[in-house]
Amino acid sequence: MRWILRGLVASALTLAAVIPAIQGAVAATELLQNGGFSSGTTSWWSTGNTPLSVDAGRLKAAVPGGTANKWDAMLGQKTPAFAIHQGRQYTLSFDASASASRQVRTTVQQNTDPYPATLDTLFTVDTTTRHFSFPFTGSLETANAELTFQLGGLAGGAFTVWFDNVSLTDSTGTAAGDPTQMTSGFYVDPNSNPATWVQNNPSDGRAAAIQSSIATKPMARWFGNWSGDIGAAVGGFVGAADAADKLPVLVAYNIPGRDACGGHSGGGAGSPAAYRTWIQSFASAIGARPAIVVIEPDSLGDFNCMSQAQIDERNGMLSYAVQQFKNSAPNTWAYLDGGNAGWVAANVMAQRLTGAGLADAHGFSLNVSNYYTTAETVAYGNSVQGNLAASKPFVVDTSRNGNGANGEWCNPPGRKLGATSQLGGGPEMQLWIKVPGDSDGSCGIGAGIPAGTFSPDLATRLINGN
């Protein structure tokens, strides 16, 4: 843990920015959703014999009589799944009352048979609303945990129970909402395009270099209309990272009308309504788990090819996307994409970011899939910041900027891998957002290779800088 302490290698400026976060008060991280039931029964489930409703802002459960076991009448939360880690400190707390005095059970357990529990305790509810709090130390290592209230197996017949302010927190001294302090480093995707290619081509002479220089490095996973069930795809990726105590980087890339100026990366959701459904599922699948998300690369760069109505429509979708991460993914840092240093003037990009909802995002991303040096990009980012009403941090894609830009953007020759993913160094973070070796399209030295397709030749050129 405390990877941020190990990453202070950049400069005194970076150190000065980090120290307040370390010295300031820390807060627990909430693992549950809708514990105050402001969204009805969303995220809560029950057995079929125990119907749920919301009564005066509290969760109401009608519990049957005559059941044999505690788990025969049950409610709880298991979707989206949350992680429990061995040795970390947690607290389950809630308010509860019932129509009659009953001894019931609560567990925090793994949601797979035989359902081992890290918290398993009995408590008594009666007609007086009482506050309950159960601190415990995690004894499981699972990304698939659930909370249960087990209400069956009791004499005395049917009864009603009410719950409110249900909270399960990880109180292991993490800064609230800061995913970089909640994890032990960036996640290395074992199923990235380069990693998969190496696995499938172990005898290829290029495999060893690609494995050591690219496939074993942290990089983003891109999600779009090729991802199938977006909730399952995002949930699986973030869940694997969370189980490893690592920070995943994701790219949401599905805006309708993408690449309006006729480049190689067209596509996206079929309609604004479809996009809203898609991005809502994306954010909900992350839930309370830590993550970094880059929202729609290039979406604010090609306005010159769009009508004002199209611009307004796009801004509406981007603002909606930002709001979804703010509402549904409290431990995610979401970055609206701000193009690159050679595309749009800084003052214009600041206006575009503002119009797309930057106020509700953590910050903005720069140089995604491009080649400008980190120094050039930081200068541009600082200029964008200077034109914003309120300063926002930014991250830089360093996956292919080791030799800087030569004025071309689509698979140009002579480019090179840049600094691997890390905190600081000028921007808030340097990240491999574009997957090195993935083609920009059928162009340049990648002629015949569709956009997004991994090429060992392109990868090797980036390793060697030719």
Side-chain angles (χ1 to χ4, degrees):
M1 298 297 293
R2 290 296 172 271
W3 154 51
I4 194 167
L5 293 176
R6 300 199 300 269
L8 302 181
V9 296
S11 64
L13 179 62
T14 302
L15 180 61
V18 170
I19 287 176
I22 298 171
Q23 293 179 336
V26 296
T29 302
E30 180 58 52
L31 302 181
L32 302 179
Q33 295 191 18
N34 193 31
F37 308 105
S38 60
S39 298
T41 61
T42 299
S43 300
W44 293 87
W45 64 275
S46 66
T47 50
N49 60 355
T50 308
L52 301 180
S53 60
V54 173
D55 177 21
R58 299 183 297 166
L59 183 69
K60 176 182 176 181
V63 185
T67 54
N69 304 297
K70 293 288 189 189
W71 56 84
D72 289 340
M74 186 163 54
L75 65 91
Q77 186 168 134
K78 58 186 176 183
T79 304
F82 54 89
I84 293 292
H85 299 291
Q86 289 181 342
R88 293 176 71 149
Q89 306 302 308
Y90 299 88
T91 300
L92 172 66
S93 62
F94 53 89
D95 301 328
S97 62
S99 59
S101 180
R102 296 286 190 273
Q103 187 181 64
V104 296
R105 177 189 193 187
T106 185
T107 72
V108 176
Q109 61 187 38
Q110 185 169 304
N111 185 26
T112 52
D113 193 20
Y115 304 101
T118 185
L119 172 69
D120 186 345
T121 190
L122 298 173
F123 63 100
T124 299
V125 289
D126 57 24
T127 55
T128 300
T129 299
R130 304 181 189 280
H131 181 71
F132 298 87
S133 181
F134 302 108
F136 63 96
T137 301
S139 59
L140 300 173
E141 189 68 34
T142 178
N144 192 27
E146 66 172 348
L147 165 69
T148 74
F149 291 104
Q150 301 183 13
L151 312 171
L154 299 172
F159 69 104
T160 302
V161 63
W162 291 267
F163 292 97
D164 200 7
N165 301 316
V166 185
S167 173
L168 175 61
T169 57
D170 177 349
S171 52
T172 312
T174 56
D178 183 347
T180 68
Q181 291 197 57
M182 296 167 63
T183 50
S184 60
F186 289 108
Y187 182 55
V188 176
D189 182 2
N191 299 308
S192 68
N193 286 348
T196 299
W197 183 86
V198 169
Q199 293 162 15
N200 293 337
N201 298 273
S203 60
D204 190 292
R206 299 165 291 185
I210 292 173
Q211 172 70 6
S212 62
S213 297
I214 298 177
T216 54
K217 308 303 182 186
M219 65 190 75
R221 170 81 69 87
W222 291 56
F223 295 85
N225 56 11
W226 61 86
S227 300
D229 182 334
I230 190 61
V234 169
F237 181 68
V238 175
D242 192 47
D245 194 29
K246 299 297 182 181
L247 179 60
V249 180
L250 302 86
V251 179
Y253 196 57
N254 201 30
I255 199 86
R258 189 174 64 228
D259 213 350
C261 293
H264 293 267
S265 301
S271 68
Y275 181 74
R276 285 180 168 84
T277 299
W278 185 86
I279 201 70
Q280 182 182 48
S281 297
F282 191 124
S284 296
I286 296 175
R289 293 173 292 197
I292 300 296
V293 176
V294 174
I295 299 174
E296 301 299 338
D298 300 343
S299 59
L300 296 178
D302 57 1
F303 279 10
N304 292 342
C305 301
M306 301 170 66
S307 68
Q308 187 59 51
Q310 290 173 319
I311 292 171
D312 293 342
E313 184 177 68
R314 177 166 293 184
N315 279 340
M317 287 185 283
L318 292 172
S319 295
Y320 181 85
V322 168
Q323 197 64 44
Q324 294 311 298
F325 291 104
K326 181 178 180 180
N327 292 345
S328 300
N331 297 313
T332 290
W333 279 357
Y335 297 84
L336 269 176
D337 189 62
N340 60 68
W343 196 354
V344 176
N347 63 323
V348 175
M349 182 52 69
Q351 294 171 1
R352 293 183 183 181
L353 286 164
T354 299
L358 180 63
D360 287 324
H362 178 75
F364 57 99
S365 56
L366 296 173
N367 204 48
V368 174
S369 300
N370 219 285
Y371 305 90
Y372 291 94
T373 65
T374 301
E376 290 173 307
T377 305
V378 167
Y380 177 72
N382 289 338
S383 185
V384 172
Q385 280 186 332
N387 284 278
L388 296 171
S391 182
K392 288 282 187 176
F394 59 88
V395 297
V396 173
D397 184 354
T398 56
S399 61
R400 305 187 299 180
N401 73 347
N403 280 346
N406 69 347
E408 302 175 30
W409 68 269
C410 198
N411 297 322
R415 301 311 95 204
K416 192 173 184 178
L417 298 173
T420 54
S421 296
Q422 59 189 268
L423 295 172
E428 184 172 45
M429 285 180 278
Q430 300 175 66
L431 302 172
W432 279 17
I433 299 174
K434 175 73 174 184
V435 175
D438 278 7
S439 175
D440 296 320
S442 180
C443 50
I445 58 173
I449 307 172
T453 300
F454 179 78
S455 163
D457 180 60
L458 292 176
T460 302
R461 285 174 172 267
L462 287 172
I463 294 170
N464 297 328
N466 59 23

